[in-house]
Amino acid sequence: MRTPIVAGNWKMNLTHQGATDLARGIAEGCPENGVTAIVAPVALHIPAVAEVLAASPVLLASQNMHWAESGACTGELAGPMLREFSVRYVILGHSERRQFFGETDEGVNRKAQAALAQGMHPIICLGESLQEREADRTQAKVEFQLRAAFAGLTADEAQRTIVAYEPIWAIGTGKTASPQQAQDVHALLRSVLEDRFDRQTAQAIPILYGGSVKPANFAELLAGEDIDGGLVGGASLKVESFLELTRIALGS
Ligand code: PGA
C-alpha cells in the first residue's frame, strides 16, 4: 500500500514569522504515522522551518532547484545546499514555473536526475490547460510530460519519485477536477508508468492530485484508487486546514 501524502506548497507566501508559526502548528498536530506530511516554504525560510520541524514527522521540500551542484547560476539553488538543511523533496515543473519562468520538460528531467543523485525525492508536476482539456488533448499532454520527466531514469530511481497531476485550470481557481476526472488521469499516468517501467514500479509511485484541494473535497478525491494524496496550495497555509487534510488522508 502507498502511504497517503499531504504536501503543502506554500508558494511565495508568508513572512519568516508566519512560516515558522505555521510549521510549528503543523508539527504539533501532525499524525506521527500513516500519512506523509510535507511542506515547501520559500527557500529563504527553509533553514528556520527546518529547525522548527527537526523533531517532528513533517518533512521539508524545496519549491525548485537547479540541476548543477554549484556554479555560475545567479539566483539559483543547488541540491547539496538544500540537503544541508534536511530538504528531502523537491517540487519540479510546477505549472507556474513552466508558464512564467520558462521551465521545460528537458529541464525538469535534468533537475529530477540531479535531485535523485542527491538522494532527494522529486515531486514532478504536470497537467493540462483548460484549452487542452477542451480540445481533448489532456491524455496526450500528460503522457508526453510524464515520459519526458522520467527519461533516462531507472526503475529504482522512478520508485523514489512522486508525480503530481495538477490540471492548470484547477490551480488557485476554486475549480477542482471531479473525482472521476482526476482518477481517470491518474489511472492513465499509472498505466504509462507501467508501460515505461513495470507493474511493480508503477504501483509503487505515489501520484498526487493538485488544484484547489481543501478539506471539503479531499476525501472524495482520495477515494480514487490511483489518487495517493494532494499537492496543496491555498489550503496548506492555515494550520487547521493542513492538519484536517492529514487527518482525512489518515482515514482514507
Ligand atoms: P491550490 O494550488 O491548492 O491553491 O490550487 C495547488 C498548487 O499549485 O500546487
Side-chain angles (χ1 to χ4, degrees):
M1 265 310 285
R2 297 176 293 268
T3 303
I5 296 173
V6 179
N9 175 10
W10 293 354
K11 306 193 180 185
M12 197 173 69
N13 291 301
L14 304 165
T15 57
H16 175 273
Q17 185 72 49
T20 49
D21 286 351
L22 178 56
R24 192 166 298 109
I26 291 173
E28 281 166 5
C30 188
E32 294 275 339
N33 298 300
V35 55
T36 304
I38 302 169
V39 296
V42 295
L44 191 60
H45 297 156
I46 283 176
V49 171
E51 220 176 291
V52 171
L53 298 180
S56 86
V58 185
L59 301 167
L60 252 182
S62 173
Q63 297 178 15
N64 186 27
M65 68 171 251
H66 196 271
W67 55 77
E69 289 191 12
S70 65
C73 299
T74 303
E76 290 292 323
L77 270 169
M81 299 167 185
L82 295 166
R83 293 293 291 143
E84 279 192 287
F85 291 96
S86 317
V87 175
R88 304 257 306 269
Y89 297 83
V90 56
I91 299 172
L92 296 175
H94 190 280
S95 64
E96 287 149 18
R97 296 212 56 84
R98 293 178 188 262
Q99 208 176 337
F100 305 123
F101 303 98
E103 191 100 291
T104 62
D105 287 310
E106 196 212 341
V108 170
N109 175 246
R110 289 182 75 175
K111 290 176 178 192
Q113 301 210 28
L116 288 160
Q118 291 298 324
M120 296 162 76
H121 302 277
I123 303 176
I124 292 173
C125 304
L126 44 83
E128 82 288 1
S129 66
L130 185 57
Q131 240 181 352
E132 287 162 337
R133 175 158 285 267
E134 286 173 347
D136 212 12
R137 282 171 44 215
T138 299
Q139 297 199 356
K141 172 75 181 289
V142 298
E143 176 166 358
F144 183 86
Q145 288 181 313
L146 186 70
R147 287 189 186 275
F150 279 79
L153 266 57
T154 63
D156 173 61
E157 290 171 329
Q159 290 190 33
R160 290 190 279 127
T161 302
I162 296 169
V163 174
Y165 167 57
E166 299 205 304
I168 298 167
W169 48 271
I171 296 178
T173 58
K175 275 190 215 165
T176 324
S178 70
Q180 193 59 53
Q181 280 174 323
Q183 167 56 27
D184 288 349
V185 176
H186 283 230
L188 168 84
L189 292 169
R190 205 175 301 286
S191 72
V192 173
L193 289 169
E194 184 169 339
D195 178 63
R196 168 69 176 76
F197 298 100
D198 53 71
R199 186 172 160 73
Q200 190 225 324
T201 301
Q203 288 297 324
I205 298 174
I207 308 179
L208 314 183
Y209 169 79
S212 299
V213 168
K214 47 184 185 280
N217 60 25
F218 199 37
E220 54 178 21
L221 285 160
L222 284 177
E225 193 187 330
D226 293 292
I227 303 180
D228 305 314
L231 180 56
V232 189
S236 74
L237 292 169
K238 292 265 169 359
V239 173
E240 222 2 86
S241 71
F242 188 93
L243 291 179
E244 183 63 19
L245 293 171
T246 63
R247 287 191 287 266
I248 292 167
L250 200 56
S252 70

